[in-house]
């Protein structure tokens, strides 16, 4: 009941000085809005990164590739190894690695894409039938590459949704011929849209897929592959799966383990999250400066309020109010101010976050849209920060009020 009385008294005191209350709330609101907006920025970045990793298969994914340069004796040198990854490596990885669920190969290259005499540069991705399972990505129309395409080196292709919309204007492309580096290919399917990527021009939707065997025989003239993508049976066995794959490849190439490198999506996710956390923390600290300024405003206003209400404090003490009750009354007013400012700041911060997302979407149309993410964590953090500011900056004025002598306070004019 006493808490309710304190709240009613606090509301009455704040309402008595409307302009002063509004100006004080403004400082807290801006400070909290800055914190919310920065946390929204960090949460949006994390969502973007996670969506990109999900596109390649999530935390269970890892890969093996042959780099053009390797680091030896603290220097970068051209990779002169005679060994290359090949289809035998892929087959052995799928057959002899118990921790591997599925694997595929891929190679992405710039090509000249020709439709009815109109040429445009785009990306070609040479891969296998298992690509859909590895990436968990399916066709929207038609079919994906088949085993017969691989065995017969068929000149067929599957196009991304962006290629379909831009080059075929939404018309049915199935069965139509297109040119890929001056060779005729038949379109057999359209992939589901994955949305724009983080890098302009390299969206998965702007890809054209052909059988790896067709690329090897009709374009490259060898059976080497640039990259093997592997999905482990679960994120918990990724490290074991990596060891098994490395062992197979090393055995297939005479024990040479220097010509290839591995990457793990799990480690990339952890590294990205750590980087985003550090950047987000720095941004929040910068934004908190305005919150501290708002807290100093609270301190000044509460000191003024104590000075104005000295006779009231003296009267309350004369009728039996204890020091802690006086202190608690002024702390309640300070905390109430900050909590109201926090709620207004959360709303303003959400609007600022939405505005940032809109600006990014407006001026960076070729890139993936930046999401505005307001999390429960950010809301609770803001409310806690507001409460902490109210207690920290309100405690000194409240203590000054509690220390006043009843007689001196009543005599004060």
């Amino acid at each position: 009941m006493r808490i309710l009385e304190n709240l009613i008294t606090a509301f009455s005191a704040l309402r008595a000085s409307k302009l002063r209350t509004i100006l004080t709330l403004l400082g807290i609101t801006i400070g909290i809005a800055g914190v919310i907006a920065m946390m929204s920025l960090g949460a949006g970045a994390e969502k973007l990164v996670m969506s990109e990793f999900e596109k390649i298969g999530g935390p269970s994914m890892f890969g093996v590739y042959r780099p053009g340069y390797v680091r030896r004796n603290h220097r970068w040198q051209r990779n002169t190894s005679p060994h290359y990854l090949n289809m035998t490596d892929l087959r052995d990885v799928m057959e002899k690695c118990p921790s591997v669920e599925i694997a595929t190969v891929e190679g992405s290259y710039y090509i000249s894409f020709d439709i009815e005499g109109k040429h445009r540069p785009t990306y070609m991705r040479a891969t296998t039938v298992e690509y859909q399972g590895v990436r968990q990505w399916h066709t929207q129309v038609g079919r994906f590459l088949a085993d017969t395409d691989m065995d017969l080196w068929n000149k067929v292709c599957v196009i991304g949704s962006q290629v379909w919309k831009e080059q075929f204007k939404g018309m049915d492309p199935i069965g139509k011929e297109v040119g890929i580096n001056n060779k005729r290919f038949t379109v057999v399917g359209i992939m589901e849209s994955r949305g724009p990527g983080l890098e302009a021009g390299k969206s998965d939707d702007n890809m054209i897929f052909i059988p790896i065997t067709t690329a090897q025989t009709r374009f490259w003239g060898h059976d080497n592959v640039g990259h093997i993508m592997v999905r482990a049976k679960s994120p918990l066995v990724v490290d074991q799966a990596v060891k098994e794959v490395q062992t197979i490849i090393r055995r297939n190439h005479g024990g040479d383990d220097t010509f290839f490198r591995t990457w793990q999506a799990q480690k990339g996710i952890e590294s990205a999250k750590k980087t985003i956390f550090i950047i987000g923390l720095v941004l929040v600290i910068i934004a908190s400066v305005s919150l501290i300024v708002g807290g100093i405003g609270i301190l000044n206003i509460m000191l003024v309020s104590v000075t104005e209400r000295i006779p009231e404090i003296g009267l309350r003490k004369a009728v039996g109010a204890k020091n802690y009750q006086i202190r608690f009354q002024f702390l309640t007013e300070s905390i109430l101010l900050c909590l109201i400012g926090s709620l207004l700041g959360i709303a303003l911060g959400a609007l600022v976050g939405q505005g940032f997302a809109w600006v990014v979407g407006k001026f960076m149309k070729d890139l993936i849209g930046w999401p505005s993410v307001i999390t429960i964590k950010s809301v609770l953090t803001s409310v806690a920060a507001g409460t902490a500011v109210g207690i920290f900056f309100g405690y000194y004025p409240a203590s000054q009020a509690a220390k006043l002598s009843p007689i001196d306070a009543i005599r004060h004019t």
Side-chain angles (χ1 to χ4, degrees):
M1 191 65 182
R2 189 161 293 174
I3 294 177
L4 181 60
E5 292 176 1
N6 280 338
L7 288 173
I8 294 173
T9 304
F11 270 115
S12 299
L14 296 177
R15 191 167 58 248
S17 303
K18 293 184 178 65
L19 181 60
R20 189 165 66 191
T21 300
I22 291 172
L23 292 176
T24 307
L25 284 175
L26 186 61
I28 296 297
T29 299
I30 292 174
I32 292 294
V35 172
I36 282 285
M38 293 303 101
M39 293 187 74
S40 170
L41 180 66
E46 183 173 340
K47 184 176 180 180
L48 274 181
V49 170
M50 290 305 299
S51 68
E52 289 300 301
F53 276 108
E54 285 300 324
K55 286 180 182 179
I56 65 171
S60 295
M61 288 299 302
F62 66 94
V64 186
Y65 64 98
R66 185 186 190 279
Y69 288 84
V70 293
R71 192 170 180 81
R72 295 192 184 109
N73 300 323
H74 307 290
R75 293 171 53 191
W76 286 103
Q77 301 176 14
R78 185 180 295 276
N79 190 349
T80 57
S81 173
H83 297 285
Y84 290 81
L85 299 172
N86 53 50
M87 297 298 289
T88 300
D89 295 324
L90 174 65
R91 184 179 62 251
D92 288 346
V93 164
M94 289 194 292
E95 294 177 355
K96 301 177 181 179
C97 296
S99 300
V100 170
E101 178 182 351
I102 193 171
T104 187
V105 296
E106 69 168 18
S108 298
Y109 308 90
Y110 259 125
I111 60 165
S112 174
F113 187 59
D114 171 22
I115 299 179
E116 298 179 349
K118 297 179 180 179
H119 294 264
R120 71 184 292 267
T122 187
Y123 269 94
M124 177 187 76
R125 182 163 288 172
T127 187
T128 66
V129 180
E130 291 76 19
Y131 184 82
Q132 283 192 113
V134 172
R135 295 286 303 273
Q136 297 183 334
W137 189 15
H138 304 285
T139 53
Q140 176 182 345
V141 179
R143 65 173 178 85
F144 195 64
L145 307 176
D147 289 327
T148 53
D149 299 325
M150 301 291 296
D151 296 337
L152 301 176
W153 314 336
N154 287 342
K155 292 193 292 183
V156 296
C157 67
V158 180
I159 61 176
S161 61
Q162 183 179 335
V163 176
W164 169 49
K165 292 174 184 176
E166 293 181 355
Q167 302 305 309
F168 290 93
K169 309 303 181 184
M171 301 295 289
D172 184 8
I174 305 301
K176 293 186 177 179
E177 285 194 347
V178 296
I180 298 178
N181 285 358
N182 299 319
K183 296 183 184 297
R184 307 308 297 174
F185 280 72
T186 302
V187 178
V188 296
I190 306 170
M191 299 300 290
E192 293 176 340
S193 176
R194 280 291 182 96
L198 292 175
E199 187 175 352
K202 283 196 175 182
S203 166
D204 282 343
D205 293 344
N206 195 35
M207 294 281 183
I208 297 170
F209 304 87
I210 71 170
I212 184 70
T213 53
T214 304
Q216 290 171 337
T217 56
R218 302 186 186 279
F219 291 123
W220 306 336
H222 56 73
D223 67 347
N224 299 333
V225 298
H227 186 199
I228 298 177
M229 292 182 65
V230 187
R231 176 192 292 279
K233 290 184 176 179
S234 85
L236 300 177
V237 297
V238 169
D239 290 338
Q240 178 61 31
V242 169
K243 292 178 181 178
E244 293 170 0
V245 170
Q246 289 174 336
T247 300
I248 289 294
I249 295 177
R250 192 182 302 115
R251 185 185 303 160
N252 286 354
H253 296 272
D256 186 0
D257 61 356
T258 62
F259 79 96
F260 67 92
R261 296 289 183 271
T262 60
W263 61 267
Q264 294 182 39
Q266 205 169 43
K267 291 184 178 179
I269 291 172
E270 293 171 359
S271 177
K273 282 186 175 181
K274 189 178 296 183
T275 301
I276 291 170
F277 173 77
I278 294 172
I279 294 174
L281 183 62
V282 171
L283 292 175
V284 168
I285 290 173
I286 294 172
S288 298
V289 172
S290 58
L291 185 59
I292 294 173
V293 172
I296 294 173
I298 292 281
L299 174 64
N300 291 332
I301 293 303
M302 293 306 298
L303 284 173
V304 171
S305 179
V306 169
T307 302
E308 290 179 346
R309 295 162 61 186
I310 286 179
E312 174 195 331
I313 295 169
L315 183 60
R316 292 185 64 183
K317 281 199 165 188
V319 296
K322 305 296 182 182
N323 286 352
Y324 76 88
Q325 293 172 325
I326 300 296
R327 184 181 293 109
F328 185 66
Q329 175 60 53
F330 281 91
L331 271 177
T332 301
E333 293 179 21
S334 175
I335 293 172
L336 187 61
L337 265 174
C338 289
L339 285 178
I340 295 173
S342 297
L343 296 177
L344 295 174
I346 290 169
L348 179 60
L351 290 176
V352 171
Q354 290 285 352
F356 176 82
W358 180 84
V359 169
V360 172
K362 192 76 173 176
F363 293 98
M364 299 182 179
K365 295 180 180 179
D366 293 334
L367 297 179
I368 190 170
W370 195 292
S372 176
V373 181
I374 304 297
T375 64
I376 296 297
K377 177 183 176 181
S378 63
V379 172
L380 294 178
T381 299
S382 299
V383 172
T387 304
V389 167
I391 293 173
F392 183 81
F393 288 98
Y395 187 80
Y396 177 74
S399 295
Q400 292 299 104
K403 291 177 182 177
L404 289 172
S405 166
I407 297 176
D408 293 338
I410 291 174
R411 289 176 178 172
H412 187 274
T413 57

